[in-house]
């Protein structure tokens, strides 16, 4: 019995589909082999058939095509400006901070403050999550 692969990369799975398709293995058989050798939810039967169709139509790439999407407004410069604004007045609310940054939404701003800058609310004051011993004694 073969060792099952728990979390294969998408391009790895597609490469296997391309290889087996070149050997004229049917899509249903490819999916059955995936269920035996990979974790159960690696790829659905319909997706296997879709990739087989693409390879039969002449596609050779096993990677996703670039998609056009909404560009992210969060960059290092914006994070630095938000951090600077926070350090000016630690007793702020997200709504107050939003007045200084009208180009971004409240949820994105909250994500910057909590996830990117690692601040949390403590006694109505925003502080870094990792406090030093000096700050803990104060």
């Amino acid at each position: 019995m073969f060792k099952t692969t728990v979390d294969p990369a998408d391009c790895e799975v597609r490469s296997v589909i391309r290889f087996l398709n070149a050997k004229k293995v049917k899509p249903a058989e490819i999916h059955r082999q995936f269920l035996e050798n990979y974790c159960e939810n690696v790829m659905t039967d319909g997706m296997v058939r879709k990739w087989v169709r693409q390879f039969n139509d002449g596609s050779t790439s096993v990677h996703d095509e670039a998609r056009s999407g909404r560009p992210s407004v969060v960059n290092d410069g914006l994070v630095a400006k938000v951090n600077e604004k926070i350090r000016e007045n630690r007793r702020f609310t997200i709504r107050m901070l939003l007045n200084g940054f009208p180009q971004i939404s409240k949820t994105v701003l909250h994500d910057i403050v909590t996830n990117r800058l690692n601040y949390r609310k403590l006694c109505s004051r925003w502080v870094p999550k990792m406090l030093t011993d000096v700050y803990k004694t104060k």
Side-chain angles (χ1 to χ4, degrees), residues 50-108:
K50 175 189 162 223
W51 280 100
V52 166
R53 248 190 330 270
Q54 286 184 2
F55 292 136
N56 287 338
D57 290 343
S59 176
T60 58
S61 176
V62 294
H63 300 287
D64 286 330
E65 295 176 1
R67 297 182 210 147
S68 64
R70 187 174 195 173
S72 176
V73 295
V74 179
N75 55 29
D76 292 335
L78 180 65
V79 172
K81 287 178 186 176
V82 170
N83 193 24
E84 199 174 292
K85 197 75 150 171
I86 291 171
R87 292 189 180 274
E88 288 175 10
N89 177 18
R90 295 273 178 125
R91 296 178 189 264
F92 71 93
T93 63
I94 296 294
R95 286 185 190 256
M96 288 171 44
L97 194 60
L98 191 60
N99 293 335
F101 300 97
Q103 73 272 21
I104 57 176
S105 70
K106 186 169 75 168
T107 55
V108 171

Side-chain angles (χ1 to χ4, degrees), residues 83 86-87 90 113-114 117-120 126-129:
N83 193 24
I86 291 171
R87 292 189 180 274
R90 295 273 178 125
V113 171
T114 57
L117 294 174
N118 291 326
Y119 284 105
R120 65 183 175 93
W126 287 88
V127 296
K129 280 186 180 178

Side-chain angles (χ1 to χ4, degrees), residues 116-133:
R116 296 282 297 263
L117 294 174
N118 291 326
Y119 284 105
R120 65 183 175 93
K121 199 77 164 165
L122 180 68
C123 297
S124 73
R125 190 174 209 190
W126 287 88
V127 296
K129 280 186 180 178
M130 299 298 294
L131 294 176
T132 62
D133 291 331

Side-chain angles (χ1 to χ4, degrees), residues 6 30 37 45 47-48 54 56 58 67 74 103 107 111-112 115 127-128 132 138:
V6 177
I30 293 173
N37 298 319
D45 185 49
M47 288 302 292
V48 171
Q54 286 184 2
N56 287 338
R67 297 182 210 147
V74 179
Q103 73 272 21
T107 55
D111 185 61
I112 290 172
N115 295 336
V127 296
T132 62
K138 286 184 180 180

